[in-house]
């Protein structure tokens, strides 16, 4: 059974946090971020986890976090960009609610993510390598129930499009 959560997935810089927070406000729902859950339980930032414990440890923490999402219902949940990109993960997310992929032009996503900073997965990677990472992740994201193309539009418009699509899918009340 779908637990009525709305789960945002997508590459770094897609606007999952900003748009997720706005969407939650519009729907009168709680907003949670898997990265924040990890930071809270670990007591250190994402870059610190990558630096001190490595990417593999971070992925393990993501696996534990996805299990604790099973307790949630009715929330808007923003996931980290790599969280859905392991076999079986999208299936779990799809069981938890309606999954929305915020997609966009990879160069635009990259520029936005770079501007905000704190993205260990971008450190030391060339644009070509980032594009390759994005391409390798697309098949996972593409399993979402709903896809929103964010190319060239602002957060308010993204939220408006999400609301329309969620209503059409009967995932939220009209
Ligand atoms: C990651 C994305 C980040 C964060 C971590 C790893 C990734 O979240 O989970 O730095 O592998 O794409 P955002 O998508 O919010 O940047």
């Amino acid at each position: 059974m779908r637990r009525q959560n709305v789960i945002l997935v997508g590459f770094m810089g897609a606007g999952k946090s900003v748009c997720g927070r706005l969407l939650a406000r519009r729907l009168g729902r709680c907003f949670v971020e898997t990265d924040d859950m990890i930071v809270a339980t670990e007591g250190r930032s994402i870059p610190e986890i990558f630096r001190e414990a490595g990417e593999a440890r971070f992925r393990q923490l993501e696996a534990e976090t996805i299990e604790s999402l099973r307790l949630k219902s009715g929330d808007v949940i923003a996931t980290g960009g790599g969280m859905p990109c392991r076999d079986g993960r999208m299936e779990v997310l799809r069981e938890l609610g309606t999954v929305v992929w915020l997609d966009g032009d990879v160069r635009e996503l990259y520029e936005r993510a770079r501007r905000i900073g704190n993205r260990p997965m971008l450190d030391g990677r060339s644009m070509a390598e980032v594009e390759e990472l994005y391409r390798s992740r697309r098949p996972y994201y593409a399993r979402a129930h709903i896809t929103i193309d964010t190319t060239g539009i602002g957060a308010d418009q993204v939220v408006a499009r999400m609301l329309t699509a969620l209503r059409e899918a009967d995932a939220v009340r009209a």
Side-chain angles (χ1 to χ4, degrees), residues 12 16 35 46 50 58-59 62 80-82 119-121 137:
M12 292 167 274
K16 302 179 294 284
D35 279 350
I46 304 282
F50 270 77
F58 178 74
R59 300 301 171 199
E62 283 190 319
R119 297 316 208 283
M121 291 299 289
R137 288 178 170 186

Side-chain angles (χ1 to χ4, degrees), residues 129-166:
E129 286 166 335
V130 171
E131 283 185 66
E132 182 48 42
L133 181 64
Y134 169 77
R135 254 195 308 276
S136 70
R137 288 178 170 186
R138 277 187 64 97
Y140 294 97
Y141 299 144
R143 308 215 50 229
H145 297 104
I146 292 168
T147 300
I148 306 288
D149 184 2
T150 68
T151 309
I153 62 172
D156 287 332
Q157 271 176 291
V158 172
V159 173
R161 288 188 193 180
M162 280 201 280
L163 280 169
T164 304
L166 287 164

Side-chain angles (χ1 to χ4, degrees), residues 1-148:
M1 189 198 79
R2 286 213 212 156
R3 292 194 194 77
Q4 306 304 331
N5 298 292
V6 175
I7 300 138
L8 305 188
V9 302
F11 202 66
M12 292 167 274
K16 302 179 294 284
S17 305
V18 171
C19 299
R21 190 167 284 114
L22 287 173
L23 178 70
R25 200 177 303 153
R26 289 286 297 273
L27 293 171
R29 298 196 187 189
C30 291
F31 175 63
V32 290
E33 291 199 66
T34 58
D35 279 350
D36 286 351
M37 292 166 76
I38 291 172
V39 168
T41 49
E42 280 290 289
R44 49 185 174 168
S45 70
I46 304 282
E48 279 169 343
I49 298 169
F50 270 77
R51 205 169 44 240
E52 294 164 9
E55 185 186 345
R57 174 66 186 143
F58 178 74
R59 300 301 171 199
Q60 195 183 339
L61 292 166
E62 283 190 319
E64 290 164 21
T65 304
I66 209 167
E67 283 310 310
S68 59
L69 291 182
R70 291 184 190 276
L71 300 171
K72 306 224 168 280
S73 65
D75 290 352
V76 175
I77 302 168
T79 58
M83 180 178 246
C85 308
R86 298 278 181 286
D87 287 343
R89 294 276 177 83
M90 280 301 282
E91 286 62 38
V92 176
L93 294 178
R94 286 174 62 98
E95 278 170 26
L96 299 175
T98 304
V99 183
V100 180
W101 174 21
L102 295 188
D103 194 17
D105 172 66
V106 62
R107 284 171 180 271
E108 206 175 291
L109 303 180
Y110 174 77
E111 290 305 327
R112 204 180 296 139
R114 265 267 176 253
R115 247 195 330 270
I116 300 164
N118 273 346
R119 297 316 208 283
M121 291 299 289
L122 297 181
D123 292 344
R125 278 198 162 88
S126 67
M127 187 63 222
E129 286 166 335
V130 171
E131 283 185 66
E132 182 48 42
L133 181 64
Y134 169 77
R135 254 195 308 276
S136 70
R137 288 178 170 186
R138 277 187 64 97
Y140 294 97
Y141 299 144
R143 308 215 50 229
H145 297 104
I146 292 168
T147 300
I148 306 288

